[in-house]
Amino acid sequence: ELAEVVDNLISNSVDSLNGNSNGEIEVVLYRKPPKVCIDVIDNGTGIEESKWNLIFESGFSGKGSTGLGLYNSKILLNKYGGRIFVKQSRCNERTILTIELNEVANDQSSSFNH
């Protein structure tokens, strides 16, 4: 399930590059105790700040799609105590969407399918 969320973010990043030959996408995994975070970073068209929360609503799309990808990602992450949010977005410079999950101790098992 987590892979589906990351795949959706990467797919959205690819779309935002609009065929830009200088387009870049970076995926960064890091710990910020008690959280584990994944940033998906691109230099695509960006997201207007007024839409940072709207993009996670059911049916909202800035590209003519179903508008369910980010919404479903938000619901799935909420189910496991995580969240997804726009950390930063500057049009055609740098956009960062962050997935934040609670760390699981080594002796505990997680029901989240990796």
Side-chain angles (χ1 to χ4, degrees):
E1 294 175 310
L2 180 58
E4 292 173 22
V5 174
V6 174
D7 181 63
N8 181 260
L9 292 182
I10 292 171
S11 177
N12 288 345
S13 288
V14 169
D15 290 343
S16 79
L17 296 177
N18 289 327
N20 177 355
S21 62
N22 294 319
E24 296 180 6
I25 299 172
E26 182 179 2
V27 178
V28 180
L29 174 66
Y30 58 96
R31 291 180 65 218
K32 187 176 169 186
K35 306 288 184 185
V36 174
C37 302
I38 302 170
D39 286 350
V40 177
I41 307 162
D42 68 59
N43 63 340
T45 54
I47 305 163
E48 295 174 32
E49 190 169 354
S50 63
K51 296 180 181 174
W52 285 14
N53 289 320
L54 286 175
I55 64 172
F56 300 105
E57 297 300 319
S58 178
F60 181 85
S61 175
K63 60 181 184 177
S65 67
T66 63
L68 294 176
L70 290 174
Y71 171 74
N72 287 337
S73 294
K74 177 184 83 168
I75 297 301
L76 180 67
L77 291 167
N78 285 345
K79 179 173 130 180
Y80 293 103
R83 67 183 186 130
I84 183 171
F85 58 95
V86 178
K87 184 184 286 184
Q88 171 187 5
S89 187
R90 290 191 306 269
C91 293
N92 300 309
E93 287 185 32
R94 185 173 172 95
T95 296
I96 305 171
L97 270 76
T98 298
I99 297 168
E100 198 175 74
L101 297 164
N102 293 317
E103 278 186 315
V104 177
N106 289 339
D107 60 346
Q108 295 177 332
S109 64
S110 172
S111 60
F112 207 109
N113 297 322
H114 304 288

